[in-house]
Amino acid sequence: MSQMPRPTAMSTCPSCEEPVESGDRFCGACGYDLSAVPDRPADQPTVMLSTDALPAEPDTPSVDWPEAQELDSSDTPAPTHVPTDLQGTDSHGYELPSAVRFDKAPAPAGETAAQSGDYTLPAPDPRTVPAEALATPPAGTKLCVACRAGQVDRDGYCENCGHAQPRERDHMEQELGAVAAVSDRGLRHHRNEDAFAIASAALPDGTASVVSIVCDGVSSATRPDEASMAASHAASESLLEALPRGTHPQQAMHDAIVVAADAVNALAQEPGSDREHAPHQNAPACTLVGAIVAKDLLIVGWVGDSRAYWVPDDRTAPAARLTEDDSWAAQMVAAGLMSEAEAYADERAHAITGWLGADAYELEPHTASFKPDRPGVVVVCTDGLWNYAEAAEEMAVVVPADAAHRPLHSAQVLVGHALDGGGHDNVTVAVLPFPVPARGAGSA
């Protein structure tokens, strides 16, 4: 919309844009001090930077496995079974579930529109340039999460596309040679209350083991983001101490969950003054699910409604869900009071009955041991993902076929699937290939 020209003898207030006389020292409308207005600086052209001379991206480093310690002679292995042959039982003797619901996976998204050509981008457009041609930024700089080409300036904006960057925890990615994880705030929440920890360790015989822990903060509790972070770090550190000593992985997972619960409980021991301002808030709380791949064993452990799935490389073989939710819906189905469809359609379906935190009724860590008979991947995730791929068969559809060779890419695809589905919750997923890739193999 055009504006009427103002008389040349008058100027406008830089604060409210009301007309002022040339001799006025203050604006009559808003009181702005006109004498404090500096002279307009001379216009300077913007210089575009070229990234043609930047070095090519180096190869992904391999995992540096630590040296193993001696085997503990008191260890006894736990019974194992093939997940596709037997559903198995958890550490409390309950049957593990079968598939719950089926949904169709969305069709692959098409190519995005090419750039308009109105101006020259200071960095290559990743939509049109091969990934191997994109340069690696200098150490200490970050790439834009939107265009993945421009560098982020000190103000948190991309120098290429101008996109405001999320807070550090809003989107997190990490990759080792044999495991990768991605966490995202989602499209509806104001912060990311999920957390993860991935690591690798050597068993006493020198073979590799891989660990993944995923935690989901309980939003109705206070400081859920701190609870999930504390639990994931404590559980991972406990496993990295126990596995090299020769502790059986299933026992190590059980102990790690107990250690994680203690770490979350400690957050509730805060000064009394903090409670005075919010006396009715619950103590910090979160759920936890973890997986260990060690030799020919697959160990899972959990408390709450975060899940682990088994997806074989051969998609003609059945996938399996390896965990049972600590939730209202699962209890209704187990008690025979409701069908799965009725229970999961109820508004109380996702109310959890088990969690880590000082307000938990009783800590009941669940662990299960499996011995897959073929290669595949383990998908460890929060409900931010499985809400959009609940049945094991559906999860197998959305997991990329090359997930065992590209775990980070697969985790990114799964997070994208949740965001494309609506992103109503924080979403976190870790992908662990089984068996552990040979030392130095890395991901493609």
Side-chain angles (χ1 to χ4, degrees), residues 38-271:
D39 295 334
R40 176 173 298 185
D43 189 19
Q44 298 292 336
T46 301
V47 179
M48 302 238 178
L49 301 178
S50 173
T51 61
D52 295 338
L54 290 177
E57 185 175 39
D59 295 333
T60 303
S62 60
V63 178
D64 185 13
W65 301 110
E67 186 175 353
Q69 300 179 15
E70 292 299 323
L71 178 63
D72 186 349
S73 60
S74 64
D75 238 3
T76 56
T80 60
H81 45 264
V82 177
T84 54
D85 292 341
L86 297 174
Q87 289 189 3
T89 58
D90 68 11
S91 54
H92 288 272
Y94 302 118
E95 289 296 324
L96 292 173
S98 57
V100 179
R101 287 186 295 182
F102 298 86
D103 295 310
K104 292 183 178 180
E111 289 290 330
T112 57
Q115 69 181 72
S116 63
D118 293 337
Y119 57 89
T120 302
L121 293 175
D125 189 338
R127 297 169 296 184
T128 58
V129 177
E132 58 271 15
L134 296 176
T136 300
T141 62
K142 295 182 179 180
L143 285 181
C144 173
V145 300
C147 70
R148 294 190 177 274
Q151 298 180 20
V152 179
D153 62 20
R154 293 182 178 179
D155 295 327
Y157 291 87
C158 176
E159 297 176 346
N160 176 38
C161 66
H163 188 90
Q165 302 301 293
R167 289 167 293 185
E168 182 177 0
R169 191 164 172 181
D170 284 354
H171 185 89
M172 301 180 292
E173 297 184 4
Q174 186 179 357
E175 181 184 27
L176 300 177
V179 60
V182 176
S183 181
D184 192 89
R185 177 172 59 92
L187 304 179
R188 302 296 181 90
H189 281 226
H190 69 284
R191 65 180 176 184
N192 189 0
E193 297 170 355
D194 288 356
F196 68 81
I198 59 175
S200 59
L203 299 177
D205 63 357
T207 58
S209 66
V210 178
V211 171
S212 174
I213 301 293
V214 169
C215 296
D216 184 356
V218 178
S219 297
S220 59
T222 184
R223 296 153 58 199
D225 53 334
E226 296 181 31
S228 62
M229 187 67 73
S232 61
H233 286 176
S236 178
E237 291 174 0
S238 175
L239 289 171
L240 293 182
E241 291 178 2
L243 291 174
R245 292 200 307 261
T247 305
H248 189 276
Q250 189 168 3
Q251 183 63 48
M253 176 63 77
H254 180 278
D255 296 342
I257 295 176
V258 174
V259 171
D262 292 340
V264 179
N265 292 346
L267 297 177
Q269 300 173 0
E270 56 189 10

Side-chain angles (χ1 to χ4, degrees), residues 392-415:
E393 291 81 359
E394 183 189 4
M395 184 66 71
V397 171
V398 297
V399 172
D402 60 351
H405 303 287
R406 303 176 65 193
L408 178 58
H409 171 260
S410 300
Q412 293 169 338
V413 169
L414 292 173
V415 169

